[in-house]
Amino acid sequence: MQEAVVFESAAEEIPMYVYADENAKLRMAAAAIKEEIDPPPFGTATVLRLHSPRILIQQAQAVASALNWHGILMIEFIRDQKDGQWKVIEINGRPWLFFDFFRRAGLDFAHLLVKDLNGGLPEPDAIQTPRSFSLEPGYVHVDLGYAMKRAFDGNPADIETLRTWLQTITGSLSKNFYEGQDEGPAQLEWEELGKRWGLKPEAIGELVLEHCASY
């Protein structure tokens, strides 16, 4: 049974994504703001904005140390409206959905894990955090299927409608599932969404490549 923690805004629910070495010392850390989730109010993040982790680095390190954790870890914090304190409401010791999103911002958690498994971590230094330019105006992960569901709710299911909805989100949108050296996963997503909404996959792809950021 978990206590319901009351918070006021999306900026007061911050998941921290970290990597701790064999001594439970943080080596890499990212934070994000879940601007939209599906289904509400406790679903998966569908619009996720990169955020500076420095506000909660010490708290995240305290959690990793208390658990004597080694490896990847997601810690979800909420600022409790009752006392203004950050509370831990969830911990996940498994890979999350946003590995590649963070890689694009300079934090390759998967590569760090492989290096660690092969005994290749360097001596402890400053914690790796997102590059400063990735925070302003901000990299944003947008789930394309969710974007279509929102954009086409009561509106024509066409590319211009989707483009208009995507333009409501400020910042640099991530090319989800798209990698120039391996376009297969992105193309499969475009084909599936095309079938669902009666759109041409190539038109979806053109919009994604036109509207979303290259890092």
Side-chain angles (χ1 to χ4, degrees):
M1 186 72 70
Q2 184 183 62
E3 177 187 357
V5 179
V6 180
F7 60 102
E8 293 184 326
S9 69
E12 295 186 326
E13 180 186 14
I14 297 181
M16 285 281 291
Y17 306 85
V18 303
Y19 192 94
D21 64 19
E22 61 182 359
N23 298 312
K25 180 178 176 60
L26 296 191
R27 296 298 196 92
M28 188 174 283
I33 294 176
K34 300 194 291 186
E35 294 191 351
E36 298 204 30
I37 57 176
D38 188 49
F42 302 116
T44 301
T46 48
V47 177
L48 187 82
R49 185 177 301 275
L50 199 64
H51 186 59
S52 173
R54 298 196 179 280
I55 185 175
L56 290 167
I57 283 283
Q58 291 183 340
Q59 291 92 329
Q61 179 62 75
V63 172
S65 297
L67 296 173
N68 194 27
W69 195 265
H70 182 195
I72 60 173
L73 183 66
M74 189 282 276
I75 312 165
E76 186 156 3
F77 293 94
I78 286 181
R79 190 198 297 270
D80 193 337
Q81 192 177 33
K82 292 184 295 185
D83 57 15
Q85 299 297 309
W86 288 98
K87 309 287 180 67
V88 176
I89 66 159
E90 183 179 356
I91 295 175
N92 285 315
R94 55 165 173 74
W96 44 82
L97 296 174
F98 310 109
F99 258 40
D100 198 56
F101 175 59
F102 291 127
R103 179 186 66 83
R104 294 167 186 266
L107 297 178
D108 196 339
F109 284 92
H111 183 63
L112 188 65
L113 172 62
V114 171
K115 288 176 64 176
D116 195 3
L117 290 172
N118 288 288
L121 284 184
E123 289 299 313
D125 197 359
I127 301 172
Q128 289 181 257
T129 57
R131 297 187 291 256
S132 58
F133 70 79
S134 66
L135 299 173
E136 292 294 342
Y139 285 173
V140 188
H141 164 94
V142 181
D143 181 273
L144 195 56
Y146 172 79
M148 289 182 174
K149 185 170 72 172
R150 285 291 307 276
F152 301 154
D153 183 15
N155 299 307
D158 58 38
I159 292 299
E160 287 306 313
T161 300
L162 179 59
R163 177 183 281 110
T164 298
W165 190 87
L166 290 173
Q167 288 172 344
T168 65
I169 301 172
T170 59
S172 301
L173 307 190
S174 172
K175 291 188 179 75
N176 301 332
F177 302 111
Y178 182 84
E179 175 58 58
Q181 297 178 345
D182 181 12
E183 300 178 0
Q187 290 175 343
L188 288 173
E189 181 191 37
W190 301 340
E191 289 172 6
E192 175 60 31
L193 291 173
K195 291 177 184 176
R196 187 182 308 171
W197 293 103
L199 300 173
K200 293 181 179 180
E202 56 269 26
I204 298 173
E206 288 174 5
L207 174 63
V208 169
L209 297 181
E210 163 202 330
H211 194 74
C212 297
S214 295
Y215 308 141

